[in-house]
Amino acid sequence: KAGVTQTPRYLIKTRGQQVTLSCSPISGHRSVSWYQQTPGQGLQFLFEYFSETQRNKGNFPGRFSGRQFSNSRSEMNVSTLELGDSALYLCASSLEGLQPQHFGDGTRLSIL
Amino acid sequence: QKEVEQDPGPLSVPEGAIVSLNCTYSNSAFQYFMWYRQYSRKGPELLMYTYSSGNKEDGRFTAQVDKSSKYISLFIRDSQPSDSATYLCAMSEGAGGTSYGKLTFGQGTILTVHP
């Protein structure tokens, strides 16, 4: 069974640009959560999607948004990039949002 | 104050040692407790998943949860150099509302097992 797949693995952007990250969950998993990982703040919850609906959201500005498609694949978008957005962005999937989450290897985003 | 506190280490032990990793938390609504292992340049890998208080064993790994003390532990027996990684504790609340899909993590403990 394939795991959680995130693309791309690495991205370099400049301040002010926007970026879209993609996540394909484990087959059969309908819940997708996104996290930001930085050395200073650790892993922080961004939002969770289930059946194409955002059910939960963390304390991040509105520049961070996401969506989920009917096949459960999810995308995350960050607009007007800032230097502080440099981080590893991780996607995790679970059956329905309350079971253990399984993570992808993340997208490393660097802002110049 | 963070909801979940974890000593970042680093922790260095000889091969074959018993490793003890711990987290404390302040949110009494946490009901599900997990331990993840993260290797460099990889995503977190689920090691242990427990519900409420008690012990759970899986091979060389034992997870303990003491909800009365708001304290969880992970023990690694017969540690191997391949166990060298960052270990993250994570917790979530029960069903409903703000708990869906949200894990709250500790800062992670960096473990090195030397031959």
Side-chain angles (χ1 to χ4, degrees):
Chain A
K1 202 173 188 180
V4 178
T5 303
Q6 291 189 246
T7 56
R9 290 295 312 277
Y10 302 93
L11 265 179
I12 299 175
K13 293 286 186 179
T14 57
R15 281 184 301 170
Q17 288 186 310
Q18 75 165 18
V19 67
T20 299
L21 313 180
S22 180
C23 172
S24 293
I26 291 171
S27 178
H29 284 191
R30 298 164 64 194
S31 169
V32 174
S33 296
W34 288 89
Y35 296 84
Q36 181 194 66
Q37 187 175 28
T38 60
Q41 298 298 317
L43 271 144
Q44 293 186 288
F45 172 75
L46 280 156
F47 31 66
E48 186 252 10
Y49 285 86
F50 179 82
S51 291
E52 303 178 66
T53 300
Q54 186 183 91
R55 290 195 301 188
N56 202 359
K57 188 177 187 306
N59 296 323
F60 278 82
R63 299 185 298 107
F64 292 82
S65 63
R67 59 177 175 168
Q68 187 180 35
F69 303 94
S70 58
N71 62 358
S72 295
R73 189 178 71 85
S74 178
E75 289 182 345
M76 189 190 102
N77 186 77
V78 188
S79 63
T80 319
L81 286 165
E82 301 177 358
L83 292 176
D85 296 334
S86 293
L88 180 66
Y89 290 89
L90 291 159
C91 162
S93 75
S94 69
L95 282 170
E96 293 182 345
L98 296 176
Q99 298 77 13
Q101 294 181 16
H102 299 270
F103 284 80
D105 285 335
T107 295
R108 173 77 59 184
L109 176 63
S110 299
I111 311 301
L112 304 179
Chain B
Q1 185 184 3
K2 290 180 181 288
E3 276 190 292
V4 181
E5 298 281 357
Q6 183 178 7
D7 186 341
L11 186 60
S12 181
V13 301
E15 183 175 354
I18 297 175
V19 176
S20 173
L21 304 167
N22 312 293
C23 290
T24 60
Y25 62 95
S26 57
N27 184 352
S28 57
F30 286 142
Q31 296 188 43
Y32 299 91
F33 304 91
M34 287 135 277
W35 286 94
Y36 287 86
R37 176 175 64 193
Q38 187 174 23
Y39 291 114
S40 180
R41 301 185 188 281
K42 302 286 280 184
E45 170 194 3
L46 180 67
L47 284 176
M48 301 289 281
Y49 173 72
T50 54
Y51 170 73
S52 197
S53 287
N55 293 2
K56 183 176 182 179
E57 187 173 321
D58 184 1
R60 296 186 295 112
F61 299 92
T62 299
Q64 291 184 349
V65 175
D66 182 348
K67 290 190 71 179
S68 62
S69 302
K70 296 190 177 66
Y71 187 89
I72 71 169
S73 301
L74 177 71
F75 297 95
I76 307 174
R77 291 182 298 281
D78 188 24
S79 56
Q80 302 295 311
S82 59
D83 293 328
S84 299
T86 297
Y87 289 79
L88 297 149
C89 63
M91 309 177 188
S92 66
E93 298 178 10
T98 60
S99 60
Y100 283 121
K102 178 182 178 182
L103 296 179
T104 302
F105 283 86
Q107 276 293 101
T109 299
I110 300 171
L111 171 68
T112 301
V113 181
H114 51 88

